[in-house]
Structure formats: structure tokens, C-alpha cells
Amino acid sequence: MFLIPLLIAAGAGLWPTSAATADAAVFGALGAKWTRTAEGPQKYPGYAVTPDVPIKMSDGTVLRGNLIRPANQAGKPIDKKLPTIVNMTPYTKMVSALAAEVVNYPVLMPQLIELLNAINLQGTVLSGYNELVGSLRSGFATSFSYDPKLIRSGYNMLVVDVRGTGFSQGTWQVFGERERKDTVEVIDWVGKQRWSTDKIGMAGASYSAINQLQAASDRPGKLGAIFPVVPGADILRDVVAPGGGVGAGFLSMWLALVNTSKMIPNVASMLNGTFDWKWLGDRAKDPLTYFDVMLQALTVQHPGQVTGETRALLSADSNRRASLHTDLSTVTTPTFAIGGWNDLFTNSEARLLSGLSKLPDSQKKLIMDDGYHVTTGAQLGTPGNPPKMNVLARAWYDRWLKGIDNGIDRYSPATLASMPRDNFVQGPSFPLPGYTHQRQYLTGKPSRSVSTPVAGDGSLSSSAPTTRATRVVTPGLSNVCGKDGAQGAAGVTALLDFCGRDNRFAELSAQTFTSAPVTKTTRLSGWPGIHLNQRLQATDGYWHATVNIVSPDGRSQVVSMGQLMVSLRAVDRSRSQFAANGDLVDPFLYLSIDKYQPVRPGQVIALDIPMTPTQAALRPGDRLRIDIYSLNAPKALPLGPAMWNSKFGPQFIEIDPKNPSWVNVPVDRPLK
């Protein structure tokens, strides 16, 4: 396929093109060249799979991996040392192999995708269908499994079952210290094999993407290139306990998936008499990894009752917490990451460019689109958008593992979908340069912009309120049909995208605060900060907020979201970000049990809600809106003590001229 010249939609904030900083051809002719290279004829006619290769770890545990190597016409592996790409997966390499074969079936799959793509459900209740189909053609599936064309071009691929999953021995650690050490040992093992050079890369999506960042951080310089798709670097804050809530919506579904798949036995070994009985014994020791931790977190009544692994997760200085965090500042491996504004790991993804401080711009790239976890990249490879993931990955590996000067190092560091209409802008960093935070105050004055039922209609204004008001927020389940609910489901519910693309149903239980329409295009880039003056009837509570763009037809689209358990509101100011006026706009919560601070019923206190980052644009006639809720189920539920103490009672927003509530938004021109 010939890629239509990639000239990314610009506007304010586009990285200027110059010989010193960027090459305009990267977005056109070179993009087409990368596509022809990745999807055209390859050097070798085939590939051969050696299944269940045993890899013994230093503690005696045996991991098993599928080794895929380029092969000649007779199907024999090429007798030549080649760069090797490693994918560590908890979803079983058997599933990866099946996915790779189905997606790359030479006749059936392209025709099937063409047929599915011909069905256009845009504008219907199933509008998310086309985004799900888009993810099939975007290269996401080959990022999850492996790309036969990449292998046939002259790369080995090793897909390894993570300890305690698939056919590997041991118990599943979920990014524990030993698991991280396993990855380093697998990489060392690969470098010693007769079929591999010392040029080693990594690939994979989600869990495997997180694993790539960890490996690059744990052994700086050992890897030659990584290409993580939807990665996270701070798993606790991203998905386990965002804002102090328990990410039950995603975790329950995900833990069930991995714990079920890890019990599938190696049928071939059963038939040929080589069944691994140690594998069976290890599975019997821990059949439901981490379900007990999640259940304790949701049901415990008091912080003092938290024990074991749950306490370790809720203790800021524990080794367990450290294993869930990746220090990006130690990474010296060229890194190209794909993320999404609605992904589970948005908060980490947006920090990658600044976090990878030891890498020059030529060795760190980030694409953020508007997808969910399983639909990220649906726009890639279509007119006006970046190339597909497999195309970019091939160019990236060729540059850093084979030394081919193909121009990928001159690609813009930041390529960002601008919500809610999804054109791409580019720049040297995220946030883009040239943006300034500006307060918009919550006031009790009705905006009269709401045409559907809401819990309350207030206004946003650049001027502080002049009169007092109290707004009541009661828990509701309307967020089941909202972008936050879809994000918590990893985008599995994206088929019903009318919820994700229009937040008005979710707003049934929200106090809304809406600005006047803008008269000129106004862009947002960075972290909105929400400062809430609030009161509870109980000793604890839970707040959820969204930042929305409201179009003239009334449709309300979420561009940022966040939550906060009141008793875990303590902020580490040394790791937080502030606006030029001193406002806290990106609070870094301790999320530690020793910082637990219940409140006195009726006490009015101010708190800051951590929000997800955004790149967005208000067009003439659009309005900015803040929605405030006291629950965001099913995505997250309050930690057990908050549920017991709050009893899901009403919560109050106090609008006080002396102590105002506000949202501080990063804009390229002032809002009135």
C-alpha cells in the first residue's frame, strides 16, 4: 500500500520545520517509503517457529518462549546472526501466535478488513464499530503479537511467557521484582545465542509495553531499541489506585483474563509425554493472583486493617510500590511510544518525553491519538494521519538495530491528536510550547447552556464569584454511559461509542459549570488543574471530575478526567507541577496509608483533583465545561474505608468569593 503523503494538520503549536530540527519529507515521501519497506516484498521468503524454547532463570525457574526466525523457501531457519526482538507477555505466547497468523493471513484477512471497513456505522448507536475495525488495520494486532513481514526482513523474534503465565513455570508476580529481573536475564540469554547479534530490541503492547520501559530502565544501554504501545510507567496511579480509588472496572476484567489463560495447559506436552508437572504445581499454589488484594482493598473498613500485599501497595516506600514504578530518567534506549488520550495509561504516556531526560529528541518519539486501550492507533495509516504502527516500528528498528539512515530520527518528538475532532498537531514536547494556565472560576450563576437534565447548572467565568452558593452532588451510576466508563473498560465498550462521544447521559448526576462560547479557536495543551472548595457530611468522600468541550449543538465531549478520595488528598509538592501564578495544576498524591487524613463532618476544606492531560481545541461557538460527580463507577470505586465512612452520602461544593473553586486550564489564548 502506498501511504498518502503524511502532512499532519497543523495550526497553533505545530513544530516549525527547519533543517536543524525537522525534515518536512518525514511527513510525506519518507512516510510512504517506510510503508513500502514494511509492507512490500521482504528479503526472506518465509519464517520458522521453534515453540516452547526453555530459558532457565537464575533461581531455577524455566520460562518458555516461541522463537520465530526468517526461513528459506524450504522452511529452514536462516543460518545467520540477526538482531532479535523480545516480547514478554502474560497473555500466553500461544494467543500471540494465533493472533499473528490470523491477522497476517495473506488472502482472508485483508479482504475481511476491507469488508468490515465498508460497513459505516458512524452516526448510529454503534458508532464505535468503525474505531474497533480501524485498530485491526492500524498495526495494533502485530504490536501485540508479532509481524511476519518484519521477521522476513531479517529479524528474529522471541515471544516469552512471563513467569507464572502461559507455559512458563513460577507464580505470576504482576511486575514484581523477580519478574523484572527475569526480563533482564532473558535479554542477556538472547545476546549469547548463536542466532542473535548483540543488537536486541523489544516489542509489545500494554503489559509488554510496560515491561519494555522497565527493562530499559533496569539495564540502561543493554537494549538497542524499544517500541512500546500503550505503556505505563506508574501503574499504581494509572490503573491500580487512580486518585485513591480502586480501579475495579479494569482490574476485575483483566485479572480474570490472565488468571484464566494461565491455567491453559500445554496440550502438546501432554500428548508426547513431556508435560511439566512443576508448571502444574506452581499454578495450584496461586490460581487467582491478586483477586484477594483487590477484594481486601474494596472491603476493609479501616486503614489499620489493611495487611499483606494490599498494605505494601498502599505504602509509598515499599519495595512493591517501587516495582510498579519505572524511573524513565535512567533510560538510554531509543524509545518510540504510541499512546492515547483515553488510554488507561494516559497519565504516564504524556510524561514520557519529559521523563526520558537522557535521550535526545532524535531517540524519543511519542504519538498520542484519541483511542482507548484496545483501539489506540485506529487513525494511523489513514489520510492525513501518521503511518501505521507496524510501519513505524519497522523504521525504528531498522534505524537503531541495523543502522539504516531512513529519517525516522527526524520525526517530530510529539505527534498529538487534538480532541475532540482529532486532527494531529506536532511539536518538540508535551505540553506544546506557548501555552499559559488561566483560571476559570466556578460560579452559581446558571449558564443556561444545558438542554438535558443535570444535577445542577452553573457557570465558568474568568472573574471570581461575587455571591455564595452551595451545590449538592449525590452519587449516581450515569457514568456507566460515559467516556470514563469506557476508559475503565479498556475501550471494550467502544462499540457503544455514543456514550464516549457525548457525555450528556453521564451528566445526569453531575453538577455542571459551563463557560460562555469562545469566539476564536482556543487550544489546550497540558494538565488542567481543578481546585475544589468542598464539604462532606461524613468523615470521607470521593470526587470525580471531567473537563469537557461543548459544541453549539449541545454535545458534551470529555477531554480530561480525574478522581480523588478525600482522605488520601495529601500532595507531594516536590513532585507536583504548578502554574506561573502558583496554582497547583498537576498534584502528585502520596497515595499512602500513612497519609490517611479523614475530615470532620461539616468541615469546609479545599482539595486538588489530579486530572489526565489533554491536547484539545475549542472552535468558535464551543464552550468549556467542568462536570463534578461523587462517584465514577464502574471505572473506579472508593477504597474500603472511604466507602464505609462516606456511606455514599451527599457531598457539597461551596462557592465562596473568599475561597473560590476553579479550574486552571493551559490555553494558547485567554478565555473570557
Side-chain angles (χ1 to χ4, degrees):
M1 140 182 168
F2 186 86
L3 182 69
I4 294 175
L6 184 61
L7 182 59
I8 303 300
L14 181 64
W15 195 25
T17 300
S18 70
T21 57
D23 184 345
V26 170
F27 316 119
L30 284 182
K33 180 181 177 181
W34 299 336
T35 302
R36 292 194 298 270
T37 299
E39 302 194 334
Q42 302 303 323
K43 182 176 181 179
Y44 299 105
Y47 61 94
V49 179
T50 304
D52 297 323
V53 175
I55 309 169
K56 192 171 184 179
M57 299 293 98
S58 58
D59 68 347
T61 299
V62 176
L63 308 187
R64 298 192 182 275
N66 284 353
L67 175 63
I68 309 101
R69 299 167 61 192
N72 60 23
Q73 200 71 44
K76 183 179 179 181
I78 299 300
D79 187 17
K80 182 180 179 181
K81 282 180 173 284
L82 296 172
T84 301
I85 298 169
V86 176
N87 184 329
M88 304 288 294
T89 178
Y91 304 116
T92 86
K93 62 188 183 306
M94 178 180 65
V95 172
S96 294
L98 179 62
E101 295 303 321
V102 170
V103 170
N104 291 281
Y105 195 86
V107 177
L108 175 62
M109 199 61 188
Q111 291 184 353
L112 178 59
I113 291 176
E114 184 177 349
L115 174 64
L116 294 174
N117 200 46
I119 303 172
N120 188 353
L121 298 181
Q122 294 294 340
T124 73
V125 295
L126 300 178
S127 58
Y129 164 86
N130 293 92
E131 188 172 346
L132 288 169
V133 173
S135 67
L136 284 177
R137 64 169 183 265
S138 70
F140 183 92
T142 55
S143 297
F144 171 78
S145 53
Y146 55 84
D147 181 1
K149 287 187 176 180
L150 175 67
I151 295 165
R152 287 169 48 216
S153 74
Y155 289 93
N156 302 314
M157 190 87 185
L158 180 68
V159 184
V160 181
D161 289 330
V162 167
R163 170 183 297 253
T165 70
F167 299 159
S168 290
Q169 297 175 353
T171 56
W172 183 33
Q173 284 210 323
V174 195
F175 303 111
E177 289 180 88
R178 179 61 242 190
E179 182 181 308
R180 293 181 67 153
K181 189 175 182 181
D182 287 347
T183 304
V184 172
E185 292 184 8
V186 168
I187 293 166
D188 288 342
W189 179 85
V190 167
K192 298 173 184 176
Q193 303 308 301
R194 59 176 178 77
W195 35 261
S196 181
T197 68
D198 61 356
K199 298 295 184 181
I200 301 169
M202 292 191 75
S206 189
Y207 198 104
S208 303
I210 297 168
N211 192 280
Q212 292 178 61
L213 292 177
Q214 289 180 336
S217 173
D218 292 345
R219 287 294 294 274
K222 187 68 176 179
L223 289 165
I226 60 174
F227 195 90
V229 176
V230 289
D234 192 343
I235 302 167
L236 184 94
R237 288 173 176 79
D238 289 340
V239 295
V240 176
V246 180
F250 169 71
L251 291 176
S252 56
M253 175 179 64
W254 176 65
L255 288 172
L257 170 67
V258 180
N259 278 302
T260 299
S261 63
K262 77 181 187 183
M263 303 302 290
I264 300 173
N266 187 338
V267 176
S269 69
M270 296 171 71
L271 295 176
N272 63 23
T274 61
F275 182 72
D276 186 347
W277 291 100
K278 185 178 187 307
W279 174 93
L280 182 61
D282 289 340
R283 293 301 184 273
K285 293 175 186 175
D286 188 20
L288 296 173
T289 304
Y290 263 78
F291 265 108
D292 57 335
V293 175
M294 183 178 66
L295 289 174
Q296 183 183 141
L298 289 171
T299 58
V300 67
Q301 297 185 32
H302 188 274
Q305 298 172 334
V306 177
T307 60
E309 192 83 348
T310 311
R311 174 166 285 278
L313 286 171
L314 292 172
S315 299
D317 298 326
S318 71
N319 290 336
R320 188 65 183 104
R321 277 280 281 272
S323 71
L324 296 179
H325 179 265
T326 301
D327 183 1
L328 298 174
S329 69
T330 66
V331 174
T332 57
T333 299
T335 302
F336 198 129
I338 309 287
W341 296 122
N342 303 310
D343 182 33
L344 295 161
F345 303 107
T346 299
N347 189 56
S348 285
E349 291 159 355
R351 302 177 196 274
L352 283 174
L353 292 178
S354 58
L356 295 168
S357 55
K358 286 188 177 179
L359 291 177
D361 286 348
S362 61
Q363 296 183 23
K364 57 181 177 182
K365 313 293 177 184
L366 173 67
I367 294 177
M368 294 288 288
D369 81 346
D370 192 19
Y372 296 98
H373 195 62
V374 298
T375 64
T376 293
Q379 299 161 291
L380 304 190
T382 58
N385 294 325
K388 297 196 302 185
M389 292 184 208
N390 60 302
V391 170
L392 292 166
R394 167 70 183 278
W396 195 246
Y397 296 135
D398 279 355
R399 175 66 183 89
W400 302 112
L401 299 182
K402 291 187 175 180
I404 299 172
D405 185 6
N406 54 19
I408 191 70
D409 52 332
R410 299 192 297 278
Y411 200 75
S412 176
T415 302
L416 314 167
S418 181
M419 297 183 288
R421 293 172 182 86
D422 302 339
N423 62 300
F424 279 85
V425 296
Q426 292 187 303
S429 62
F430 179 80
L432 293 174
Y435 288 73
T436 305
H437 276 86
Q438 180 194 354
R439 278 191 186 185
Q440 287 285 293
Y441 293 94
L442 278 60
T443 79
K445 180 182 177 181
S447 72
R448 308 195 187 285
S449 65
V450 181
S451 58
T452 53
V454 295
D457 172 31
S459 294
L460 289 178
S461 172
S462 57
S463 301
T466 57
T467 58
R468 292 181 60 93
T470 298
R471 296 296 181 131
V472 183
V473 186
T474 55
L477 295 176
S478 60
N479 263 310
V480 170
C481 182
K483 182 169 279 191
D484 212 58
Q487 186 205 43
V492 172
T493 60
L495 182 65
L496 303 174
D497 200 39
F498 67 93
C499 291
R501 295 290 179 183
D502 193 339
N503 210 50
R504 282 179 287 185
F505 184 89
E507 288 173 348
L508 288 171
S509 57
Q511 285 288 342
T512 67
F513 300 87
T514 313
S515 74
V518 300
T519 57
K520 296 181 178 180
T521 297
T522 304
R523 301 182 184 276
L524 288 70
S525 185
W527 280 264
I530 292 185
H531 181 81
L532 203 61
N533 202 42
Q534 56 86 63
R535 170 172 58 88
L536 306 175
Q537 282 186 338
T539 59
D540 209 345
Y542 186 83
W543 292 99
H544 167 51
T546 62
V547 177
N548 307 349
I549 290 178
V550 183
S551 56
D553 64 4
R555 185 169 52 161
S556 178
Q557 298 188 69
V558 175
V559 297
S560 176
M561 44 197 140
Q563 51 274 320
L564 177 66
M565 180 171 152
V566 175
S567 58
L568 292 180
R569 64 191 179 277
V571 171
D572 183 346
R573 297 179 70 85
S574 69
R575 301 179 69 180
S576 301
Q577 296 184 50
F578 299 83
N581 67 352
D583 286 349
L584 180 59
V585 292
D586 181 21
F588 187 92
L589 303 178
Y590 286 104
L591 296 183
S592 186
I593 207 74
D594 62 346
K595 298 288 185 180
Y596 180 78
Q597 297 174 282
V599 297
R600 187 175 66 252
Q603 177 185 9
V604 178
I605 60 170
L607 45 80
D608 297 280
I609 302 175
M611 304 294 291
T612 58
T614 187
Q615 182 69 45
L618 293 143
R619 306 294 182 185
D622 288 348
R623 301 169 183 258
L624 187 71
R625 175 176 292 168
I626 307 302
D627 292 339
I628 305 293
Y629 307 84
S630 59
L631 191 66
N632 69 333
K635 175 187 173 181
L637 293 169
L639 197 64
M643 283 198 282
W644 284 96
N645 291 333
S646 70
K647 299 179 175 62
F648 295 108
Q651 301 177 182
F652 305 90
I653 303 170
E654 296 293 344
I655 297 173
D656 183 352
K658 294 183 179 180
N659 297 292
S661 298
W662 39 259
V663 57
N664 197 325
V665 287
V667 290
D668 66 345
R669 67 172 68 249
L671 291 167
K672 295 183 179 179

